[in-house]
Amino acid sequence: MADYEILTPETVRSYIDRTPSLAGIVDTATLDVHEVGDGNLNLVFVCSDADGKGVCLKQSLPYVRLVGESWPLTPKRILAEARGLSAGARYAPGLVPEYYGVDDRTHVLAMENLRGWGMLRGELNEGHAYPGVDTQLGEYVAKVAFNTSYFAVEQNDLKAMVAEAVNPELCRITEDLVFTEPYVDVPNNSFVDELSPEVAALRADARLRAEVGMLKWAFMTQAEVLVHGDLHTGSVMVRDADNGPECRVIDPEFCYYGPVGFDLGALVGNILAARARAAVLDRPAPFQEWLAQAGPAIWDAFEAEMRRLWPSRLDPTWTDGLLDAWLAKVAVDTVGFAGAKANRRIIGLAKVTDIEQLPPTEHVAAATIVLRTASRWIRDRAALRTVTAANEVFDEVRDEVLG
Amino acid sequence: MADYEILTPETVRSYIDRTPSLAGIVDTATLDVHEVGDGNLNLVFVCSDADGKGVCLKQSLPYVRLVGESWPLTPKRILAEARGLSAGARYAPGLVPEYYGVDDRTHVLAMENLRGWGMLRGELNEGHAYPGVDTQLGEYVAKVAFNTSYFAVEQNDLKAMVAEAVNPELCRITEDLVFTEPYVDVPNNSFVDELSPEVAALRADARLRAEVGMLKWAFMTQAEVLVHGDLHTGSVMVRDADNGPECRVIDPEFCYYGPVGFDLGALVGNILAARARAAVLDRPAPFQEWLAQAGPAIWDAFEAEMRRLWPSRLDPTWTDGLLDAWLAKVAVDTVGFAGAKANRRIIGLAKVTDIEQLPPTEHVAAATIVLRTASRWIRDRAALRTVTAANEVFDEVRDEVLG
């Protein structure tokens, strides 16, 4: 049970009135409040006043909302989210919601209200392309990565940031759900019978198991940059603005110092699910073509932004050749993590609507495409070397599965 | 200036009498005290009483002893040394001095007196082989590595240990002196004129510079195990005991959570210097043959001990194949770090007697062998893959240099 006040739509107004840091953001006298937390973990209150001003309050509960009080989870995760969100606001303004602060007593975080925005996953499920959002996502990862890394932060300060940003409980969820459980028989897993042969083959693949283990080891030990930690397409809000599609990255409560390829891989792995869905539904060619270039476009934007920031690095003895070698390492990591993030969405506890909300035949086909592609990414990432080469594996596997 | 009591040979007796944790270890009435700190950083008091009992007190100063008060350095490094020494005493008993505790007020650490033992570097310089010590060193690294890693420590506990073990000031010395300064023109460097073409070639090698940068990145970001951090042949005490040669690993004040290959590489890189010295002095074949197998023997013992400990890992979902992949990664790291540790000893601030105390012609030849071999290790480590393959590069380079 919580030992702090749990907000309800009815108590949000008085909470805002009582909280000095939220003074003046909205007019509580005319405030409209909706609880919209459709995620697995938290309460989310979207608030708008009669003047059209808004605020979004997110409150963490002392357990996993999806499961209930039987799965306790530290509410201090909201501080990790605050850390991730404020880093995004500082280094990639305009690509995350505006951040208004966090209350570590009630575990409430206040940020810009994104009312009217859609979730990228849902939009992709409906067949809507968002040209330019791919590029924005690559830029977001690069801006936060560069500015929270040794390339931009004094060594002493960074060591302190790494220690401050440890997030063991949330990292543990990733370690278990992404890197361990899909490859062994545990009750958290589920999949339709038709996928049993695919899953059995994957679990029997010693090389694949070893490489997933190496990715887990990297996730657990490589404190490179402040990663978002859960950067799937459900953590990206989108809308069509006057000057084109735009996005906001949300929900960085899994943030910690980890390998930058983990964030890029989360994006690429979830685009794999979207591509599989689009393929089995035979979506119009322009949409599928946009999706096909989205993974490489994210990478290209990431690389371009890193190269743009590079001249401002603290230590000029890091050579240009080091950046090339570093990008090559991150690309291999990205391909591997993308595979790990995709497989878990088919086999493990937390599924994705891209694949789950398909008719039975299409579901099996799409899931098979994802599992086979993702497993090749994990196993062959060093040989594949680039997101573009990895992307081509999808085409081969799709043709193999769909004939 | 220190704001705590700095010990002298004259005040050590009363210090021991005043310190409860040291009661009874020695008889101070008959104590003989010698200050023997020939290192760069600290005071070391070797104490023996009339009954033959002894203790060694090590006190850190608030600056680098080699340079003086103009280079301040936290005396809290003695706590890092205590952390490394107590981990060694716990997981590799008999391979480190017995540990009697640390006083964080006076920055004095008390440990077993190794009077009568020799330093491995000095013994190798004299042409004395220590069969079996190579194997013991590989075992030491494996025992501490396994038991301080995720293979043996609960995730939550390990995150706390990583944070506790941060050692930024000492790591900074390594980052600068090992990975940065040798490759650029800074006043800390020095070498005889005859080596200028070798050094110029190395600094002009963009691929080498990039790969050294990647090793530095790994050193700064990969928190794999509690590494010793300065495991050269001057950190290894040896003696011929009744049942054969034995060793004690000392001086872990650079210890922190880092890549395990850094410790193995320090050993292999310093054996490279010893091999080069032995080759130019044309030492007897049995000694050179023992040195030639020492690097691979260290690795083999490390691998064997890791495999012996493997069944006791906490999480059985780490597969046997993961251990193979992990060892392959560590081997590549080891070869690279060995190269970085060897190059710095020729060009950078802290030299080694193996090479420095050679007649001029032999000095240039030995230094050239080290630089060329080490640079190939750094550059080609992924292709070399094993310590054994790296070791063969030495033979090629030696023949090339000595004709």
Side-chain angles (χ1 to χ4, degrees):
Chain A
M1 290 297 303
D3 58 0
Y4 52 90
E5 176 193 356
I6 302 298
L7 298 182
T8 68
E10 290 68 38
T11 61
V12 160
R13 287 171 204 81
S14 81
Y15 176 80
I16 293 176
D17 287 337
R18 278 181 281 135
T19 305
S21 63
L22 300 178
I25 296 178
V26 287
D27 172 15
T28 50
T30 65
L31 205 66
D32 187 43
V33 180
H34 291 276
E35 206 283 301
V36 299
D38 61 351
N40 302 332
L41 300 176
N42 308 293
L43 298 174
V44 179
F45 301 92
V46 168
C47 314
S48 315
D49 67 16
D51 291 339
K53 292 188 294 183
V55 66
C56 174
L57 299 185
K58 182 168 179 176
Q59 183 172 40
S60 58
L61 300 170
Y63 49 82
V64 177
R65 190 180 184 191
L66 170 73
V67 178
E69 297 188 13
S70 64
W71 186 346
L73 188 67
T74 175
K76 290 192 184 306
R77 62 189 187 267
I78 203 75
L79 301 179
E81 175 152 353
R83 187 177 294 116
L85 183 54
S86 61
R90 180 168 176 190
Y91 301 122
L95 294 173
V96 299
E98 275 189 69
Y99 170 59
Y100 302 137
V102 70
D103 179 341
D104 63 4
R105 198 176 36 82
T106 55
H107 308 104
V108 172
L109 182 152
M111 62 185 148
E112 182 185 0
N113 184 0
L114 297 180
R115 196 176 183 186
W117 293 62
M119 185 180 284
L120 179 57
R121 185 185 305 284
E123 296 294 313
L124 298 180
N125 283 353
E126 298 302 313
H128 302 153
Y130 278 81
V133 161
D134 39 12
T135 303
Q136 292 165 33
L137 289 170
E139 282 174 11
Y140 161 81
V141 176
K143 284 174 194 287
V144 176
F146 183 89
N147 285 296
T148 61
S149 77
Y150 284 117
F151 297 141
V153 182
E154 282 291 353
Q155 184 253 25
N156 233 318
D157 297 337
L158 200 142
K159 301 264 183 213
M161 284 165 65
V162 171
E164 184 184 294
V166 291
N167 197 0
E169 287 193 56
L170 283 282
C171 283
R172 180 58 166 265
I173 293 175
T174 301
E175 289 153 23
D176 290 345
L177 268 55
V178 175
F179 297 108
T180 302
E181 293 186 357
Y183 303 93
V184 291
D185 186 17
V186 295
N188 272 345
N189 295 323
S190 63
F191 42 86
V192 297
D193 285 346
E194 290 87 338
L195 290 173
S196 292
E198 295 292 330
V199 174
L202 166 155
R203 289 181 181 167
D205 183 338
R207 174 80 199 291
L208 177 69
R209 297 283 303 275
E211 293 300 335
V212 170
M214 289 303 287
L215 290 166
K216 182 178 177 183
W217 182 259
F219 178 84
M220 295 178 90
T221 61
Q222 298 190 4
E224 296 185 329
V225 308
L226 190 69
V227 295
H228 178 287
D230 194 28
L231 193 49
H232 57 85
T233 46
S235 294
V236 179
M237 302 299 284
V238 289
R239 70 171 179 187
D240 281 307
D242 293 342
N243 52 354
E246 60 178 4
C247 73
R248 297 282 188 277
V249 171
I250 62 169
D251 287 355
E253 69 195 323
F254 283 77
C255 96
Y256 82 114
Y257 262 82
V260 57
F262 188 72
D263 276 353
L264 294 163
L267 289 168
V268 172
N270 279 273
I271 284 169
L272 168 58
R275 285 194 76 188
R277 176 188 178 89
V280 299
L281 292 179
D282 201 17
R283 293 286 195 200
F287 177 66
Q288 290 204 52
E289 282 159 15
W290 178 75
L291 269 184
Q293 64 77 57
I298 289 168
W299 174 268
D300 290 346
F302 168 77
E303 176 172 341
E305 185 64 17
M306 284 298 303
R307 292 191 184 282
R308 195 185 68 76
L309 292 165
W310 188 243
S312 69
R313 67 195 178 280
L314 279 184
D315 180 354
T317 69
W318 295 110
T319 64
D320 292 346
L322 179 275
L323 177 59
D324 295 338
W326 185 87
L327 286 166
K329 184 260 189 202
V330 174
V332 171
D333 288 354
T334 297
V335 172
F337 286 126
K341 293 287 268 183
N343 272 345
R344 64 77 66 103
R345 293 298 192 183
I346 305 299
I347 304 172
L349 179 66
K351 300 288 197 288
V352 288
T353 51
D354 318 39
I355 306 298
E356 292 304 296
Q357 295 177 2
L358 284 170
T361 307
E362 287 78 5
H363 169 76
V364 171
T368 301
I369 293 171
V370 171
L371 291 176
R372 290 189 191 170
T373 304
S375 297
R376 279 186 54 189
W377 287 358
I378 294 168
R379 221 171 27 222
D380 303 338
R381 65 192 187 283
L384 287 167
R385 290 179 48 227
T386 66
V387 173
T388 298
N391 215 35
E392 287 162 10
V393 173
F394 174 88
D395 299 291
E396 285 174 40
V397 172
R398 178 199 54 207
D399 294 349
E400 178 184 298
V401 173
L402 300 183
Chain B
M1 288 299 302
D3 57 359
Y4 53 90
E5 177 193 358
I6 301 297
L7 298 183
T8 68
E10 290 67 38
T11 61
V12 159
R13 285 172 205 80
S14 81
Y15 176 80
I16 292 176
D17 287 337
R18 278 181 281 134
T19 305
S21 62
L22 300 178
I25 296 178
V26 288
D27 172 14
T28 51
T30 65
L31 205 66
D32 188 43
V33 179
H34 291 276
E35 207 283 301
V36 299
D38 60 351
N40 301 331
L41 299 176
N42 308 292
L43 299 174
V44 180
F45 301 93
V46 168
C47 314
S48 315
D49 67 17
D51 292 338
K53 291 187 294 183
V55 67
C56 175
L57 299 185
K58 181 167 180 178
Q59 184 173 41
S60 57
L61 300 169
Y63 49 81
V64 177
R65 189 180 185 190
L66 171 74
V67 178
E69 296 188 15
S70 64
W71 184 346
L73 188 66
T74 175
K76 291 194 184 303
R77 61 188 186 268
I78 203 74
L79 302 180
E81 176 151 352
R83 187 176 294 116
L85 184 54
S86 61
R90 180 167 176 192
Y91 302 121
L95 295 173
V96 300
E98 274 188 67
Y99 170 60
Y100 303 137
V102 71
D103 179 341
D104 63 3
R105 197 176 37 83
T106 56
H107 308 104
V108 172
L109 181 152
M111 62 185 147
E112 182 184 0
N113 184 2
L114 297 181
R115 196 176 183 186
W117 293 62
M119 186 179 283
L120 179 57
R121 185 185 305 285
E123 297 294 313
L124 299 181
N125 283 352
E126 298 302 315
H128 302 152
Y130 278 82
V133 162
D134 39 13
T135 303
Q136 292 165 35
L137 290 170
E139 282 173 13
Y140 160 80
V141 175
K143 284 174 194 287
V144 177
F146 183 89
N147 285 295
T148 61
S149 77
Y150 284 117
F151 297 141
V153 183
E154 282 291 352
Q155 184 253 29
N156 233 318
D157 297 337
L158 200 142
K159 301 266 183 211
M161 285 165 65
V162 170
E164 183 184 295
V166 291
N167 196 1
E169 286 192 59
L170 282 284
C171 283
R172 180 58 166 266
I173 293 174
T174 301
E175 289 153 23
D176 291 345
L177 266 56
V178 175
F179 297 107
T180 302
E181 293 185 357
Y183 304 92
V184 291
D185 186 17
V186 296
N188 272 344
N189 296 322
S190 63
F191 42 86
V192 297
D193 285 346
E194 291 86 339
L195 290 173
S196 291
E198 295 291 333
V199 174
L202 167 153
R203 289 180 182 167
D205 183 338
R207 174 80 198 290
L208 177 68
R209 297 283 303 277
E211 293 300 335
V212 169
M214 289 304 287
L215 290 165
K216 182 178 177 183
W217 182 259
F219 178 84
M220 296 177 90
T221 61
Q222 298 190 5
E224 295 184 330
V225 308
L226 190 69
V227 294
H228 178 286
D230 194 28
L231 191 50
H232 57 85
T233 47
S235 295
V236 180
M237 303 300 282
V238 289
R239 71 172 179 187
D240 281 307
D242 293 341
N243 52 352
E246 60 177 6
C247 73
R248 297 282 188 277
V249 171
I250 62 169
D251 287 356
E253 70 197 323
F254 283 77
C255 95
Y256 82 114
Y257 262 82
V260 57
F262 188 72
D263 276 353
L264 294 163
L267 290 167
V268 172
N270 279 273
I271 284 168
L272 168 57
R275 286 194 75 187
R277 176 187 178 89
V280 299
L281 292 178
D282 201 17
R283 294 285 194 201
F287 178 65
Q288 290 204 52
E289 283 159 14
W290 178 76
L291 269 184
Q293 63 76 56
I298 290 168
W299 173 268
D300 290 346
F302 168 76
E303 177 172 339
E305 185 64 18
M306 284 298 303
R307 291 190 185 282
R308 195 186 68 76
L309 292 165
W310 188 244
S312 69
R313 66 195 180 279
L314 280 184
D315 180 354
T317 69
W318 295 110
T319 63
D320 292 346
L322 179 273
L323 177 59
D324 295 338
W326 186 87
L327 286 166
K329 183 260 189 202
V330 174
V332 171
D333 287 355
T334 297
V335 172
F337 286 126
K341 293 287 267 182
N343 272 345
R344 65 77 65 105
R345 294 296 191 184
I346 306 299
I347 305 171
L349 180 67
K351 299 289 196 289
V352 288
T353 51
D354 319 37
I355 306 299
E356 292 305 295
Q357 295 177 1
L358 285 170
T361 308
E362 286 78 5
H363 169 75
V364 171
T368 302
I369 292 172
V370 171
L371 291 176
R372 289 189 192 171
T373 304
S375 296
R376 280 186 52 190
W377 287 358
I378 294 168
R379 222 173 25 225
D380 302 337
R381 65 192 188 283
L384 287 166
R385 291 181 45 228
T386 66
V387 174
T388 298
N391 215 36
E392 287 161 10
V393 173
F394 174 89
D395 299 291
E396 285 174 42
V397 172
R398 178 198 56 208
D399 294 349
E400 176 185 296
V401 174
L402 301 183

